[in-house]
Amino acid sequence: MMIIKDEKYRYMSAFDPDTGRGIRSNVYDSDGKDTGLDPFMGSFPELLDIGIMGHCIHGQTGLCLQSGVECYQDGLNLSEPNMSFEDFQAIIDECRGKTFQIALGGRGDPEMHEDFLRIIEYARDNGVVPNFTTSGFGLEERLMPYIKEYCGAVAVSWYRSEYTNRAIDLFLSAGIRTNIHFCLSNATIDEAIEMVEEKKYPQGINRIIFLLHKPVGLGTQKQVLQVDDPRVRHFFSLFNLPENADKAGFDSCSVPALLEFSRNIHPMCMEACEAGRFSAYISPDFRLYPCSFEKDPNFGVSLRGLGIEAAWNSRQFHAFRGRFLERCPDCPRRRSCFGGCPVAPEITLCNSRYRST
């Protein structure tokens, strides 16, 4: 069990690297009082999304678009060098003892990085658990023993293809904890309903994680779900049944909809958006952002000669956190969702009269 005691904000977090389960408590020590409220932020990110991939080798083929997913990193048009191993090493050196886990990503499949094996080994050897998501298109069987040894979990993007199923089979056969990442949009929600109702997901997976489509990168407004869509209400109501909830997971962008339509799930099981509060994104060009979906360069802080902690405490991050504090001030549930997505408010599935934009 990995434990972080945050002296500045007086809370404690624990993380089990074997199961991926974690807990955060506002009770810092034996003299602490439980207020029943989670701490607002930490003094250092507990989770980092690290964009080690600067370009997607499948980008010019439009692999994401062919699968019905509109790449938020715009791998079709944008290309830059991959993150160097030395930059990654500097990140992990600063994260040692402060960060539980990292999600490897960026513009392309992380296992295609030229130093992928060095990256996952260095992270795990320094007490930080690496995880990653892949399309599975070019996944090689030779990587399985290393992924099993060093990674906590993997996710396969649901691209509805032969290579999707092959990747899932490779991971499961190697005994690797495997999730599916399913992008929820106007084009895919009917499929998602059918998948949950009829249990059509591959057997043996850990969970199917539903991620809300965002109008970022290649993502279009047309595919953004609307709260008054009866399909949205029906989909999220499915998770009032324990057998469905036990096999599913959601990004924090879905919390407003879960609070409204999945009321059998206890709010304490939900985590409001942690962007800039407990998590952050590091781009391939070595800049810290509150979230990988935040494309405004005004919120990016270069880590050259600065370091993560200084960037975390910068005026840019302070301004970003202000979005959480300003929205929906009168809502009795605001501490559970902080008004939804701070980057793309239009994806927030909430029809409360208290909602502010």
Side-chain angles (χ1 to χ4, degrees), residues 7 67 71 108 115 135 142 150 158 167 178 191-192 211 236-237 242 253 266-267 279 300 310 321 354-355:
E7 296 181 4
S67 70
C71 174
D115 290 311
S135 72
R142 68 176 182 87
Y150 297 117
W158 189 246
T178 306
E191 178 190 5
L211 315 172
F236 284 99
S237 70
C253 313
H266 197 286
S279 67
R321 294 178 191 117
Y354 297 103
R355 184 184 176 187

Side-chain angles (χ1 to χ4, degrees), residues 73-143:
Q73 290 281 9
D74 195 1
L76 185 63
N77 301 308
L78 300 179
S79 180
E80 59 185 316
N82 292 338
M83 181 180 288
S84 70
F85 177 74
E86 290 71 26
D87 280 348
F88 178 81
Q89 195 173 31
I91 293 169
I92 298 301
D93 288 347
E94 190 175 356
C95 288
R96 192 183 299 115
K98 302 175 184 177
T99 300
F100 290 134
Q101 54 182 329
I102 55 173
L104 301 176
R107 202 171 293 118
D109 290 332
E111 76 275 13
M112 298 297 172
H113 193 285
E114 57 273 20
D115 290 311
F116 175 70
L117 292 182
R118 293 176 71 194
I119 282 171
I120 60 175
E121 180 180 10
Y122 192 80
R124 194 62 179 253
D125 285 351
N126 283 275
V128 181
V129 178
N131 313 285
F132 71 97
T133 303
T134 178
S135 72
F137 185 76
L139 187 65
E140 298 182 59
E141 188 172 1
R142 68 176 182 87
L143 297 176

Side-chain angles (χ1 to χ4, degrees), residues 48 91 94 280-291 294-321:
L48 275 173
I91 293 169
E94 190 175 356
Y281 172 67
I282 301 179
S283 60
D285 61 352
F286 214 49
R287 295 173 64 84
L288 189 75
Y289 288 85
C291 172
E294 180 56 82
K295 303 304 181 185
D296 186 345
N298 291 321
F299 286 110
V301 183
S302 175
L303 297 178
R304 303 290 177 198
L306 189 63
I308 297 170
E309 187 168 359
W312 182 255
N313 292 311
S314 65
R315 60 176 178 78
Q316 293 95 320
F317 271 65
H318 178 73
F320 184 88
R321 294 178 191 117

Side-chain angles (χ1 to χ4, degrees), residues 324-341:
F324 293 112
L325 299 173
E326 295 165 359
R327 294 173 64 187
C328 311
D330 299 320
C331 182
R333 298 191 304 202
R334 72 173 306 274
R335 293 287 305 197
S336 294
C337 76
F338 285 112
C341 181

Side-chain angles (χ1 to χ4, degrees), residues 253-275:
C253 313
S254 303
V255 167
L258 291 167
L259 289 169
E260 182 63 27
F261 304 126
S262 309
R263 297 195 176 186
N264 286 352
I265 301 177
H266 197 286
M268 289 297 290
C269 298
M270 304 177 197
E271 188 72 65
C273 177
E274 296 188 336

